[in-house]
Amino acid sequence: MGGIAASKKLKRQMAPSFWSIERKNKRFVITVRPGPHKKDRSIPTAVLLRDTIKKVSTLKEAKATIYNGQVNVDGVTRKSLHHSIGLMDVVEFEGGSDIYRLVPQNKQVLTPIIIDANEKSKKIVKVTSKTTIKSGKIQLGFHDGRTLITNTKVNVGDSCLLQIPEQKILELLKLESGCMVIVTRGINAGQMGHVDKVKEGTFSLPKIIDLVINDKKIEIPADIVMVIGKEKPVIKVR
């Protein structure tokens, strides 16, 4: 017996605030389907075009743009209205001049910013899993669902600057004292600062970092920050 597909729509009142949709216009809005990013941390392609960056004004125009293969995410053409676009994804439209990267900003989980064309093939990804496979090599899992087999010595919590869509590691960004990070969720989302100290977690307690933001030190879980450079970000994130 076949499975029941997830719903293709969501009540507007339940949609995340960073979608920037009108709440009382209609009852339902297109939602994201299972994909590279979690549902509450991503934007469906159609909503991004129509509501968030307002490249089109109606869902009909969004469908035409997407189905005609005019939307590229991380260098790959996406033809689904429901594809989940999330943290650090690079979005480009054929025939358009603006290229966008989605970053946390002003306490919002995701905000599109315009980047230069020479950065569209670069993306920061956070290492979320690390597995040794049969060949003795390491398979890394990243926050955006992609995986990569490599010999690079890297730990969970570190970040990598990737060349996309080839998935080539250009630079390793270690989570360590002195590195620069951006807060990805919570009341400090979008804030950037330098790590003062990394406190290893235990079986029952998560890894914690002491983070200095504007000369103020706070304690924050390591799983809601992403390393973006050493002294300064390696790519534009603001």
Side-chain angles (χ1 to χ4, degrees):
M1 184 175 68
I4 300 176
S7 176
K8 295 181 180 180
K9 59 186 180 181
L10 176 73
K11 287 185 177 180
R12 286 177 174 261
Q13 296 295 335
M14 302 298 291
S17 61
F18 58 83
W19 285 17
S20 302
I21 63 172
E22 294 182 3
R23 301 285 167 169
K24 299 182 179 180
N25 186 18
K26 295 181 179 179
R27 187 178 183 186
F28 294 102
V29 65
I30 278 179
T31 189
V32 296
R33 300 298 293 274
H37 297 279
K38 292 187 177 181
K39 188 174 183 179
D40 60 345
R41 302 177 200 169
S42 59
I43 306 174
T45 312
V47 172
L48 179 74
L49 264 66
R50 184 189 61 187
D51 302 288
T52 311
I53 59 177
K54 304 185 187 308
K55 279 291 182 181
V56 298
S57 56
T58 65
L59 181 58
K60 183 177 180 180
E61 292 176 353
K63 288 180 178 180
T65 301
I66 295 167
Y67 291 157
N68 287 332
Q70 297 177 1
V71 180
N72 294 326
V73 181
D74 291 346
V76 178
T77 301
R78 299 296 183 184
K79 293 187 177 182
S80 170
L81 305 177
H82 310 275
H83 178 75
S84 58
I85 301 176
L87 180 63
M88 294 296 170
D89 283 357
V90 177
V91 183
E92 181 180 14
F93 307 99
E94 290 188 12
S97 58
D98 292 336
I99 304 170
Y100 298 87
R101 175 177 291 123
L102 272 71
V103 299
Q105 194 173 85
N106 299 327
K107 299 184 180 181
Q108 294 287 358
V109 175
L110 294 175
T111 302
I113 61 171
I114 297 176
I115 62 173
D116 295 332
N118 60 4
E119 283 199 357
K120 71 177 184 179
S121 62
K122 297 178 181 179
K123 178 182 182 180
I124 297 176
V125 290
K126 181 175 179 177
V127 180
T128 56
S129 66
K130 178 181 175 182
T131 307
T132 302
I133 58 178
K134 289 182 179 180
S135 62
K137 293 186 177 181
I138 300 297
Q139 178 173 290
L140 303 178
F142 299 113
H143 80 276
D144 61 353
R146 71 180 73 225
T147 59
L148 179 64
I149 296 174
T150 180
N151 289 320
T152 304
K153 294 182 179 180
V154 61
N155 297 316
V156 173
D158 295 342
S159 295
C160 295
L161 178 63
L162 288 188
Q163 179 175 308
I164 51 175
E166 297 84 0
Q167 293 199 171
K168 177 183 177 182
I169 296 179
L170 301 176
E171 186 176 348
L172 174 60
L173 308 172
K174 302 283 291 181
L175 178 61
E176 59 187 5
S177 297
C179 72
M180 190 173 196
V181 301
I182 187 169
V183 183
T184 58
R185 305 193 304 277
I187 61 173
N188 293 301
Q191 293 270 30
M192 296 190 295
H194 287 87
V195 174
D196 181 62
K197 185 178 180 181
V198 179
K199 301 175 181 178
E200 293 299 327
T202 64
F203 179 78
S204 59
L205 297 175
K207 181 185 291 186
I208 299 292
I209 64 172
D210 288 338
L211 181 61
V212 179
I213 302 175
N214 298 326
D215 297 325
K216 180 182 178 181
K217 183 183 291 188
I218 63 173
E219 279 192 342
I220 194 167
D223 66 341
I224 65 170
V225 301
M226 172 183 279
V227 185
I228 55 175
K230 295 180 180 178
E231 295 300 321
K232 61 180 182 179
V234 293
I235 56 175
K236 183 178 178 180
V237 294
R238 179 172 291 178

